[in-house]
Coordinates of all heavy atoms in Angstrom, one line a residue:
L113 N -9.3 0.9 2.8 CA -8.0 1.1 2.2 C -7.0 0.2 3.0 O -6.1 -0.5 2.5 CB -7.6 2.5 2.2 CG -8.2 3.4 1.1 CD1 -7.8 4.8 1.3 CD2 -7.6 2.9 -0.3
T114 N -7.1 0.3 4.4 CA -6.2 -0.3 5.3 C -6.4 -1.9 5.1 O -5.4 -2.6 5.1 CB -6.4 0.1 6.7 OG1 -6.2 1.5 6.8 CG2 -5.4 -0.5 7.6
D115 N -7.7 -2.3 5.1 CA -7.9 -3.7 4.9 C -7.4 -4.3 3.6 O -6.8 -5.3 3.6 CB -9.4 -4.0 5.0 CG -10.0 -3.8 6.4 OD1 -9.2 -3.8 7.3 OD2 -11.2 -3.7 6.5
A116 N -7.6 -3.5 2.5 CA -7.0 -4.0 1.2 C -5.5 -4.0 1.3 O -4.8 -4.9 0.7 CB -7.5 -3.0 0.1
T117 N -4.9 -3.1 1.9 CA -3.4 -3.1 2.0 C -2.9 -4.3 2.7 O -2.0 -5.1 2.2 CB -2.9 -1.8 2.7 OG1 -3.4 -0.7 2.1 CG2 -1.4 -1.8 2.8
Y118 N -3.6 -4.7 3.8 CA -3.2 -5.9 4.5 C -3.4 -7.2 3.6 O -2.6 -8.1 3.6 CB -4.0 -6.1 5.8 CG -3.6 -5.1 6.9 CD1 -4.4 -4.3 7.6 CD2 -2.1 -5.1 7.3 CE1 -3.9 -3.4 8.6 CE2 -1.8 -4.2 8.3 CZ -2.6 -3.4 8.9 OH -2.2 -2.6 9.9
T119 N -4.5 -7.1 2.9 CA -4.8 -8.3 2.1 C -3.6 -8.5 1.0 O -3.1 -9.7 0.8 CB -6.1 -8.1 1.2 OG1 -7.2 -8.0 2.1 CG2 -6.4 -9.1 0.3
Y120 N -3.2 -7.5 0.4 CA -2.1 -7.7 -0.6 C -0.8 -7.9 0.0 O 0.0 -8.7 -0.5 CB -2.1 -6.4 -1.6 CG -3.4 -6.4 -2.4 CD1 -4.2 -5.3 -2.2 CD2 -3.7 -7.3 -3.3 CE1 -5.4 -5.2 -3.0 CE2 -4.9 -7.3 -4.0 CZ -5.7 -6.2 -3.8 OH -6.9 -6.2 -4.6
L121 N -0.5 -7.3 1.2 CA 0.7 -7.7 1.9 C 0.8 -9.1 2.3 O 1.9 -9.7 2.1 CB 0.8 -6.7 3.1 CG 1.3 -5.2 2.8 CD1 1.2 -4.4 4.0 CD2 2.8 -5.3 2.2
R122 N -0.3 -9.6 2.9 CA -0.2 -10.9 3.3 C 0.0 -11.9 2.1 O 0.8 -12.9 2.2 CB -1.6 -11.4 3.9 CG -1.7 -10.8 5.4 CD -2.9 -11.5 6.1 NE -4.1 -10.9 5.7 CZ -4.8 -9.9 6.3 NH1 -4.2 -9.3 7.3 NH2 -5.9 -9.4 5.8
A123 N -0.5 -11.6 0.9 CA -0.3 -12.4 -0.4 C 1.2 -12.3 -0.7 O 1.7 -13.4 -1.1 CB -1.2 -11.9 -1.5
L124 N 1.8 -11.1 -0.7 CA 3.1 -10.9 -1.2 C 4.1 -11.6 -0.1 O 5.0 -12.2 -0.6 CB 3.5 -9.5 -1.3 CG 2.9 -8.7 -2.5 CD1 3.0 -7.2 -2.3 CD2 3.5 -9.2 -3.8
L125 N 3.8 -11.5 1.1 CA 4.7 -12.1 2.2 C 4.7 -13.6 2.1 O 5.6 -14.2 2.4 CB 4.3 -11.5 3.6 CG 4.6 -10.1 3.8 CD1 4.0 -9.7 5.2 CD2 6.1 -9.9 4.0
A126 N 3.5 -14.2 1.7 CA 3.4 -15.6 1.7 C 4.0 -16.3 0.4 O 4.3 -17.4 0.4 CB 1.9 -16.0 1.7
S127 N 4.2 -15.5 -0.6 CA 4.8 -15.9 -1.9 C 6.4 -16.1 -1.7 O 7.0 -15.3 -1.2 CB 4.4 -14.9 -3.0 OG 5.1 -15.3 -4.1
D128 N 6.8 -17.1 -2.5 CA 8.2 -17.4 -2.6 C 8.8 -16.6 -3.7 O 10.1 -16.5 -3.8 CB 8.5 -18.8 -2.8 CG 8.2 -19.7 -1.5 OD1 8.3 -19.2 -0.4 OD2 7.8 -20.9 -1.8
R129 N 8.1 -15.9 -4.5 CA 8.6 -15.1 -5.6 C 9.4 -13.9 -5.1 O 10.2 -13.4 -5.8 CB 7.5 -14.6 -6.6 CG 6.8 -15.8 -7.3 CD 5.9 -15.1 -8.4 NE 5.2 -16.1 -9.1 CZ 3.8 -16.4 -8.9 NH1 3.2 -15.6 -8.0 NH2 3.2 -17.3 -9.5
C130 N 9.1 -13.5 -3.9 CA 9.7 -12.2 -3.4 C 11.2 -12.5 -3.2 O 12.0 -11.6 -3.1 CB 9.2 -11.8 -2.1 SG 9.2 -12.9 -0.8
V131 N 11.7 -13.8 -3.1 CA 13.1 -14.1 -2.9 C 13.9 -14.0 -4.2 O 15.0 -13.5 -4.3 CB 13.3 -15.5 -2.5 CG1 14.7 -15.9 -2.3 CG2 12.6 -15.6 -1.1
T132 N 13.2 -14.3 -5.3 CA 13.9 -14.4 -6.7 C 13.5 -13.3 -7.5 O 14.3 -13.0 -8.5 CB 13.5 -15.7 -7.3 OG1 12.1 -15.8 -7.5 CG2 14.1 -16.9 -6.5
Q133 N 12.4 -12.5 -7.4 CA 11.9 -11.5 -8.3 C 12.1 -10.0 -7.7 O 11.3 -9.8 -6.7 CB 10.6 -11.8 -8.8 CG 10.4 -13.1 -9.6 CD 9.0 -13.3 -10.2 OE1 8.3 -12.3 -10.3 NE2 8.8 -14.5 -10.6
A134 N 13.0 -9.2 -8.2 CA 13.1 -8.0 -7.7 C 11.9 -7.1 -7.7 O 11.6 -6.2 -6.9 CB 14.2 -7.2 -8.4
S135 N 10.9 -7.4 -8.8 CA 9.8 -6.7 -9.0 C 8.8 -6.9 -7.8 O 8.1 -6.0 -7.3 CB 9.1 -7.0 -10.2 OG 8.7 -8.4 -10.4
E136 N 8.7 -8.1 -7.3 CA 7.9 -8.5 -6.1 C 8.4 -7.8 -4.9 O 7.6 -7.3 -4.0 CB 7.8 -10.0 -6.0 CG 7.1 -10.6 -7.2 CD 5.8 -11.3 -6.9 OE1 5.5 -11.5 -5.7 OE2 5.0 -11.5 -7.8
R137 N 9.7 -7.8 -4.8 CA 10.2 -7.1 -3.6 C 10.0 -5.6 -3.6 O 9.7 -4.9 -2.6 CB 11.8 -7.3 -3.6 CG 12.1 -8.7 -3.2 CD 13.6 -8.9 -2.9 NE 14.5 -8.6 -3.9 CZ 14.9 -9.4 -4.7 NH1 14.4 -10.7 -4.8 NH2 15.9 -9.1 -5.7
S138 N 9.9 -5.0 -4.9 CA 9.7 -3.6 -5.0 C 8.1 -3.3 -4.6 O 7.9 -2.3 -3.9 CB 9.9 -3.1 -6.5 OG 11.2 -3.2 -6.8
L139 N 7.3 -4.2 -5.0 CA 5.9 -4.1 -4.6 C 5.7 -4.2 -3.1 O 4.9 -3.4 -2.5 CB 5.1 -5.2 -5.4 CG 4.9 -5.0 -6.8 CD1 4.2 -6.4 -7.4 CD2 4.0 -3.9 -7.3
L140 N 6.4 -5.1 -2.6 CA 6.4 -5.3 -1.1 C 6.9 -4.0 -0.3 O 6.3 -3.5 0.6 CB 7.2 -6.5 -0.7 CG 7.0 -7.0 0.8 CD1 5.6 -7.4 1.0 CD2 8.0 -8.3 0.9
K141 N 8.0 -3.5 -0.9 CA 8.4 -2.1 -0.2 C 7.5 -1.0 -0.5 O 7.3 -0.2 0.4 CB 9.9 -1.8 -0.9 CG 10.9 -2.7 -0.3 CD 12.3 -2.2 -0.7 CE 12.6 -2.1 -2.1 NZ 13.9 -1.7 -2.5
N142 N 6.9 -1.0 -1.6 CA 6.0 0.1 -1.9 C 4.7 0.0 -1.0 O 4.3 1.1 -0.5 CB 5.5 0.0 -3.4 CG 6.6 0.4 -4.4 OD1 7.6 0.8 -4.1 ND2 6.4 0.1 -5.6
L143 N 4.2 -1.2 -0.8 CA 3.1 -1.3 0.0 C 3.4 -1.1 1.5 O 2.6 -0.7 2.4 CB 2.4 -2.7 -0.2 CG 1.6 -2.7 -1.4 CD1 0.9 -4.1 -1.5 CD2 0.4 -1.7 -1.4
G144 N 4.7 -1.4 1.9 CA 5.2 -1.1 3.2 C 5.2 0.3 3.5 O 4.8 0.8 4.5
S145 N 5.7 1.1 2.5 CA 5.6 2.6 2.6 C 4.2 3.0 2.8 O 3.9 4.0 3.5 CB 6.3 3.2 1.5 OG 7.7 3.0 1.5

Side-chain angles (χ1 to χ4, degrees):
L113 286 171
T114 307
D115 289 345
T117 302
Y118 285 127
T119 294
Y120 294 117
L121 281 173
R122 284 191 285 264
L124 288 167
L125 288 168
S127 172
D128 291 331
R129 292 193 184 101
C130 65
V131 177
T132 58
Q133 296 188 16
S135 60
E136 297 248 338
R137 293 195 293 275
S138 293
L139 293 169
L140 195 54
K141 287 193 294 184
N142 293 348
L143 282 180
S145 292

